[in-house]
Amino acid sequence: MLAHRLRHRVTFQHKAEPQRNEDGFIIPGSGGWQTVTLADGTKLENVPAEVLTGPGKEWVGSGAPQAETSARINLRWFPADERNMASWRVLWDGRTYSIQSADTDATARREWRLRCVYGPTEGQ
């Protein structure tokens, strides 16, 4: 991976379970989307990446026009499970991308290649 291509900064978030008090009620403000933290304590925010946006598409769904843009995000490898990454979302340039798939290079230890979508779900 060529370092000069990593000119964008992305942040990874995951959906956190809301916390409950001793009576079992949900604590207001807990849960929601939070920045992903790896097992070694590294937060995945402002991660250097190469973001390549692709063509968009438009369609009418539920009686309203919908638009969707695809993107490919390449970044250095970090220890994570592809199945867990599918439930994460990526923040870049004020947009929220849903991760559709996560692939690695041939060695599976140099880079991640994410296929993402920005559209009606907005990372949900």
Side-chain angles (χ1 to χ4, degrees):
M1 170 161 272
L2 301 173
H4 70 277
R5 289 187 177 172
L6 305 178
R7 62 186 178 274
H8 304 110
R9 297 291 182 261
V10 298
T11 299
F12 291 91
Q13 292 184 331
H14 68 95
K15 187 85 169 182
E17 293 294 322
Q19 297 176 353
R20 297 181 179 272
N21 62 15
E22 54 274 350
D23 296 328
F25 294 105
I26 295 175
I27 299 172
S30 66
W33 291 98
Q34 297 178 353
T35 302
V36 173
T37 304
L38 298 177
D40 66 355
T42 305
K43 287 192 169 226
L44 293 179
E45 58 187 356
N46 296 320
V47 177
E50 175 186 31
V51 180
L52 304 168
T53 57
K57 67 178 183 177
E58 296 179 353
W59 72 95
V60 176
S62 302
Q66 305 287 329
E68 178 178 278
T69 304
S70 62
R72 189 175 76 211
I73 301 175
N74 300 321
L75 60 148
R76 288 191 178 99
W77 184 87
F78 53 84
D81 185 19
E82 293 94 352
R83 292 171 294 204
N84 289 341
M85 289 177 78
S87 65
W88 297 356
R89 69 182 190 176
V90 178
L91 303 178
W92 173 70
D93 197 31
R95 298 181 192 151
T96 305
Y97 287 89
S98 301
I99 298 175
Q100 301 295 309
S101 69
D103 301 317
T104 59
D105 61 331
T107 65
R109 290 285 188 263
R110 290 193 183 152
E111 71 178 288
W112 285 109
R113 297 174 183 152
L114 307 177
R115 294 195 187 277
C116 302
V117 173
Y118 168 72
T121 61
E122 293 195 12
Q124 300 296 323

